[in-house]
Amino acid sequence: MAISLEGRWDITVDMNGKPAPSWLEVRHSGNRTLVGQFVSVSGSARPISEVHVKDNTFHFAIPPQWESGTGDFSVKGTFQGDKISGSLTTPDGKTYSWTGVRAPSLRRTSPPVWGKPIKLTQGNSLTGWHAEGTNQWVIKDGVLKSEKSGANLITDQKFNDFKLHVEFRIPKGSNSGVYLRGRYEVQVTDGKGMEPSPGELGGVYGFISPSEMMAKEPGEWQSFDVTLIGRMITLAVNGKTVITNQEIPGITGGALDSNEGEPGPLYIQGDHGPVEYRNIVITPAN
């Protein structure tokens, strides 16, 4: 029975009536052990040392990450076919119920046919964007600016496969990110001099490290060029390709939802410090 739990799962947690996205991967290790990784409603993918399975039930525990409290993060569930459900208890002792479905493979069978580019930053209007909360973003002469930590900014339009060009500037010590389809975060950090990692500039948070650190000095304009086809991402940072056609396994903590088979918006993280963006141009596939 254990074999039917293996794979990736898109999970939705009921947090006191508010749906929150999560994600689970279970895979075999050696002859008899199931291991995996888990993404909660915030933070990065965390390794699971063992997923314990009996009949059609399972459970695992992992150390806390960004949560308050000192206990383990524990998950219990049942599985049947392409659906799972259960409960989770956070390190501060709160318990929530959740449901999940098998994550789609998102493998494309034909190459994309690109449509017309859409410029998402121009002039002095935030038309086409909305804030997730009280808005602190302003735009002037095509430069989108958040002077302090506040709300994230989301496009009204949703996209499936696309090419994206985006330019950004952050002061020393600040942090932002660009969520592709509102689910997969490409990190924007003050990464000059840092080792490449999934948590630094050009990383897909929690999953993929760039091949090298291409960060400029804080306060300089920098750029991403992204191609996202299904789960496969290619990324250039400041003109240098640092990720080449790699698979994004699952969602980032902080994603808008876990509905990976659906189109999603572009969303810009605005709750980790000041940041500016300009020349955001997206070219969707037809």
Side-chain angles (χ1 to χ4, degrees):
M1 291 292 291
I3 189 67
S4 64
L5 181 61
E6 290 188 61
R8 296 168 179 165
W9 301 88
D10 287 339
I11 291 171
T12 301
V13 182
D14 181 354
M15 302 193 76
N16 300 322
K18 181 181 179 181
S22 187
W23 177 87
L24 171 67
E25 181 180 43
V26 179
R27 61 184 184 274
H28 234 77
S29 176
N31 293 324
R32 59 184 180 273
T33 304
L34 290 177
V35 299
Q37 51 186 340
F38 179 75
V39 176
S40 182
V41 298
S42 63
S44 63
R46 318 178 201 189
I48 305 167
S49 62
E50 185 172 5
V51 181
H52 303 274
V53 177
K54 183 178 181 180
D55 298 325
N56 69 328
T57 67
F58 68 95
H59 66 93
F60 62 86
I62 53 179
Q65 191 181 65
W66 301 109
E67 299 87 5
S68 61
T70 58
D72 281 344
F73 196 117
S74 62
V75 177
K76 299 178 181 179
T78 61
F79 58 93
Q80 186 67 44
D82 290 335
K83 295 184 178 181
I84 57 176
S85 61
S87 64
L88 61 81
T89 301
T90 58
D92 60 1
K94 296 177 181 177
T95 299
Y96 305 98
S97 62
W98 56 264
T99 58
V101 297
R102 286 197 183 272
S105 68
L106 303 183
R107 295 187 181 96
R108 306 309 192 210
T109 58
S110 59
V113 176
W114 301 112
K116 294 182 179 179
I118 302 168
K119 189 163 187 178
L120 297 172
T121 47
Q122 51 189 339
N124 301 304
S125 172
L126 285 171
T127 300
W129 297 84
H130 62 275
E132 189 181 43
T134 302
N135 179 48
Q136 82 285 357
W137 293 86
V138 296
I139 186 168
K140 184 176 181 180
D141 298 330
V143 176
L144 190 59
K145 187 173 185 178
S146 174
E147 293 187 334
K148 61 180 181 180
S149 295
N152 301 322
L153 197 65
I154 304 167
T155 60
D156 296 338
Q157 190 171 351
K158 295 183 178 182
F159 307 96
N160 201 351
D161 296 345
F162 56 80
K163 295 189 292 185
L164 172 70
H165 175 82
V166 55
E167 298 173 16
F168 53 89
R169 181 165 65 178
I170 59 171
K172 187 172 181 60
S174 195
N175 181 301
S176 182
V178 179
Y179 278 73
L180 313 176
R181 297 195 199 114
R183 301 181 189 111
Y184 315 115
E185 183 190 14
V186 181
Q187 280 285 85
V188 172
T189 67
D190 168 22
K192 181 72 172 180
M194 304 291 289
E195 287 295 312
S197 83
E200 292 297 339
L201 183 78
V204 178
Y205 188 60
F207 289 114
I208 304 174
S209 294
S211 59
E212 58 185 294
M213 176 55 69
M214 293 300 299
K216 296 182 181 180
E217 296 289 345
E220 293 189 42
W221 283 105
Q222 307 189 63
S223 68
F224 287 158
D225 287 281
V226 180
T227 301
L228 182 65
I229 301 172
R231 293 184 180 279
M232 309 306 292
I233 183 173
T234 296
L235 170 67
V237 178
N238 295 324
K240 178 65 179 290
T241 300
V242 296
I243 297 174
T244 303
N245 201 38
Q246 289 196 44
E247 183 184 49
I248 305 175
I251 66 168
T252 302
L256 296 177
D257 61 50
S258 57
N259 305 324
E260 292 189 90
E262 299 179 3
L266 196 68
Y267 114 57
I268 296 174
Q269 191 175 53
D271 60 355
H272 278 48
V275 64
E276 293 173 279
Y277 286 87
R278 70 181 184 188
N279 293 333
I280 303 178
V281 180
I282 194 165
T283 304
N286 290 327

